[in-house]
Amino acid sequence: MEEAKHFIGGEWAASSGGDPIPVVDPSDGQPFTTLARGTAADIDAAVQSARRAFDGAWGAASAAERGRVLHRLSLLVGACHEELAQLEARDTGKPLKQARGDAAALARYFEFYAGAADKLHGETLPYQNGYTVFTIREPHGVTGHIVPWNYPMQIFGRSVGAALAAGNACVVKPAEDACLSVLRVAELAAEAGVPAGALNVVTGYGHEAGAALARHPGIDHISFTGSPETGKLVTQMAAENHVPVTLELGGKSPQIVFADADLDAALPTLVSAIVQNAGQTCSAGSRVLIEGSIYEPLLERLAAAFNALRVGPAQADLDCGPLISAKQQRRVWDFISDAQHDGIAMAAHGEVIAQAPEAGFYQAPTLLRDVPPTHRLAREEVFGPVLAALPFNDEAEAVALANSTPYGLVAGIWTRDGARQLRIARRVRSGQVFINNYGAGGGVELPFGGVKHSGHGREKGFEALYGFTVLKTIAIRHG
Ligand code: NAD
């Protein structure tokens, strides 16, 4: 595969310095291409190019025109669906069917924001006699987007789709571990009519290109998805320029299962919510809290489901692919070995198929039972296919356990009791709550984001558009 370059000002651009970064296929551990290693000078070139587009053609485009461009991009992504899915599967290791789902979601993000672009407006406000007062929503200007490796296409689409629809010009720093699909989509965006400079992608390491973007004085807003530690660093750098930041930092999301739940409906979702993308999902359902009276029988069914899971290369299209990198594989394995060292019982685990290349970054999905609520496995994000099971006795204890981590992104509640559904939904501290489902199929329309260490600000839906605009109040005194 040809070496990848940055996409700046509508053109491919080589790095201004530094050795290229090898891109490794997680399915076999082998490098297959390289990325440009972005420098502060590359970021600066991208920010300047974005500013020119914002002050020029893109800033002058009407909301309806921005919508038409995004609609064309959605159609182009649809036409390249299989190519993008294959690229994403190779780059991230995710099973092909999941990569195909991600490509479909990317097209849907652009479709949704295409339709929303000219429906974003301010309000008229009742005020003193003799005045007419109204608000208008304006784009920030140049927005920075730091994207992680777990869902490169989807997270790019949700962030950049909303920012462009609102009229911003974007500079994107995708993750060094996986970003080939993002580069291809930037090229498609130019084909769809996004003017040169309105969408720039600079690849490279976080501490170099990422940090240069976060601290650049020419950026007006930053959207970051990744770890809480890096999110804090990005916030500190952006604060130097008083730049607003939206953070999406993952979670330790609970699924709470009561004895009256429809367990046949819950079971496959409890499994898929942690196995999807090999558990490398910010909203993964990584804790299952089970009412005492059904703890043993449900664990038995969960164990049988985990034992049947098969793991292999992206192209084998099994339940689970490899993890993204050797570093992530070590991190996940450390959690499991710590748990075993602390006497936590492994209830079940899946199987890595014999044909999986030895150098790939595989980890069998693992179910751990009776995890003490204070153990790191019950509190910290593993970002791997590891499910922690904990029993509870009553509703109050279920809520206390659900809220007992530093995170608050998503919660699932499984019960047939309608009043209980609402009581718990109101008491759980998280940005999204799903009742008798988990994730609602991902809906791009549904505002998404966290509380506590899961971050702040909202992505997806109309809320994301509000986040990518600033409100201006205009008061006219006419007597
Ligand atoms: P990370 O937060 O370091 O990386 C995310 C993005 O931030 C990447 O594009 C990276 O290049 C960039 N980045 C890194 N350091 C930076 C810096 N100093 N300044 C600006 N940008 C910087 O995450 P990671 O190291 O790839 O993964 C570590 C853990 O983070 C994972 O195990 C997981 O728990 C969590 N994570 C969460 C998500 C999520 O979707 N919420 C995504 C990826 C990782």
Side-chain angles (χ1 to χ4, degrees), residues 72-422:
R72 284 197 293 274
L73 178 54
S74 167
L75 295 178
L76 278 176
V77 166
C80 299
H81 174 267
E82 187 59 21
E83 177 203 341
L84 289 167
Q86 294 283 349
L87 199 56
E88 193 84 325
R90 182 155 197 206
D91 208 10
T92 63
K94 65 181 72 189
L96 258 178
K97 56 178 168 284
Q98 290 180 29
R100 289 187 179 120
D102 289 1
L106 175 69
R108 177 71 188 122
Y109 274 115
F110 292 135
E111 182 183 57
F112 177 83
Y113 286 115
D118 60 358
K119 288 141 197 99
L120 181 66
H121 52 73
E123 293 177 319
T124 322
L125 309 177
Y127 191 57
Q128 295 170 17
N129 288 343
Y131 284 88
T132 294
V133 181
F134 58 95
T135 58
I136 51 176
R137 290 199 169 269
E138 296 183 333
H140 290 283
V142 176
T143 50
H145 305 256
I146 300 178
V147 173
W149 41 259
N150 50 344
Y151 291 86
M153 271 195 291
Q154 278 213 52
I155 294 176
F156 171 85
R158 81 178 184 200
S159 180
V160 162
L164 287 175
N168 301 281
C170 308
V171 178
V172 183
K173 208 304 281 175
E176 54 273 35
D177 294 289
C179 63
L180 298 175
S181 60
V182 166
L183 289 165
R184 178 70 178 116
V185 180
E187 188 178 41
L188 292 177
E191 209 180 306
V194 173
L199 173 58
N200 307 276
V201 181
V202 176
T203 58
Y205 292 117
H207 64 281
E208 293 178 352
L213 181 60
R215 65 163 75 98
H216 199 291
I219 291 288
D220 301 306
H221 178 278
I222 295 212
S223 160
F224 172 83
T225 303
S227 62
E229 298 74 27
T230 305
K232 193 185 285 184
L233 286 176
V234 166
T235 306
Q236 286 164 347
M237 289 186 272
E240 291 294 325
N241 300 310
H242 298 292
V243 165
V245 178
T246 296
L247 297 177
E248 198 271 87
L249 307 174
K252 189 72 189 176
S253 298
Q255 297 224 55
I256 310 170
V257 190
F258 285 89
D260 70 342
D262 178 347
L263 298 184
D264 292 339
L267 190 70
T269 306
L270 296 177
V271 176
S272 64
I274 185 64
V275 169
Q276 179 187 316
N277 214 40
Q280 303 165 120
T281 304
C282 36
S283 54
S286 53
R287 292 184 294 154
V288 58
L289 315 180
I290 307 174
E291 189 164 10
S293 62
I294 56 159
Y295 188 66
E296 290 303 337
L298 181 56
L299 263 189
E300 205 171 298
R301 292 182 70 181
L302 272 172
F306 265 71
N307 284 329
L309 292 169
R310 294 170 75 238
V311 184
Q315 289 294 334
D317 213 3
L318 303 173
D319 303 302
C320 197
L323 297 167
I324 189 73
S325 62
K327 178 178 151 209
Q328 194 64 17
Q329 190 186 32
R330 271 195 306 278
R331 174 190 161 96
V332 174
W333 181 244
D334 277 354
F335 270 95
I336 297 173
S337 55
D338 270 8
Q340 287 184 309
H341 177 264
D342 296 337
I344 294 172
M346 189 183 287
H349 62 81
E351 176 207 351
V352 179
I353 60 168
Q355 302 88 316
E358 220 163 272
F361 310 127
Y362 297 98
Q363 170 61 52
T366 304
L367 174 63
L368 293 152
R369 57 170 296 164
D370 313 335
V371 177
T374 51
H375 196 273
R376 66 188 286 244
L377 194 67
R379 295 176 52 78
E380 295 175 25
E381 185 172 52
V382 177
F383 231 54
V386 180
L387 181 58
L390 293 80
F392 68 83
N393 289 313
D394 56 25
E395 218 176 283
E397 193 186 3
V399 172
L401 280 174
N403 289 338
S404 68
T405 79
Y407 292 101
L409 191 58
V410 173
I413 303 168
W414 296 87
T415 175
R416 289 185 162 99
D417 180 335
R420 178 153 65 191
Q421 292 168 357
L422 290 176

